[in-house]
Amino acid sequence: MTIPYHKLVRDNIPAIIEANGQTAKTRVLNDEDYTAALEKKLKEETREYLQSRDLTELADILEVVEALAKNQGADFEKLLTLKREKQAQNGAFDKRIYLVSVKK
């Protein structure tokens, strides 16, 4: 019986599947398909986190975010630098401020 998955998986997953006595059929994605698969994976991992509130799901989100940054030619440190710059300018979310409206 063949079970279709059609999704991006972590690098060691095919070897884990093979170690379990199964056969994994894989292919290497081109740049365009890889970007689309990463974006789909980000949605999947975010959905899983929102359902479970599990920290391991947040770690999965970070893994995908790091891969997206690398895919755009930036390393994770560059992403953290951009985060810090934005935080310095606009603040973080520490104060839990919820904007209800703005009167003009």
Side-chain angles (χ1 to χ4, degrees):
M1 175 174 70
T2 300
I3 302 169
Y5 283 93
H6 302 288
K7 68 179 192 173
L8 185 66
V9 295
R10 290 175 179 262
D11 298 341
N12 295 339
I13 296 300
I16 293 169
I17 291 168
E18 299 285 336
N20 287 329
Q22 300 170 316
T23 303
K25 181 179 178 184
T26 64
R27 69 183 177 96
V28 176
L29 299 175
N30 63 32
D31 290 342
E32 184 179 330
D33 290 342
Y34 180 56
T35 299
L38 281 170
E39 291 169 352
K40 182 178 177 183
K41 186 62 128 177
L42 181 60
K43 291 176 186 175
E44 173 191 333
E45 298 298 349
T46 300
R47 191 171 37 257
E48 289 175 5
Y49 168 73
L50 291 173
Q51 290 173 351
S52 70
R53 300 288 196 253
D54 188 325
L55 283 178
T56 60
E57 297 299 341
L58 278 179
D60 288 343
I61 292 169
L62 280 177
E63 189 72 35
V64 176
V65 168
E66 183 173 7
L68 282 164
K70 285 180 187 176
N71 193 45
Q72 291 189 27
D75 61 12
F76 200 63
E77 288 305 315
K78 172 65 175 173
L79 194 60
L80 289 176
T81 298
L82 292 170
K83 174 196 167 292
R84 288 182 196 110
E85 289 171 358
K86 191 152 191 175
Q87 186 178 37
Q89 181 179 355
N90 297 329
F93 297 99
D94 298 331
K95 295 180 182 177
R96 303 177 183 198
I97 297 170
Y98 184 83
L99 183 64
V100 176
S101 65
V102 175
K103 186 175 183 177
K104 291 188 176 193

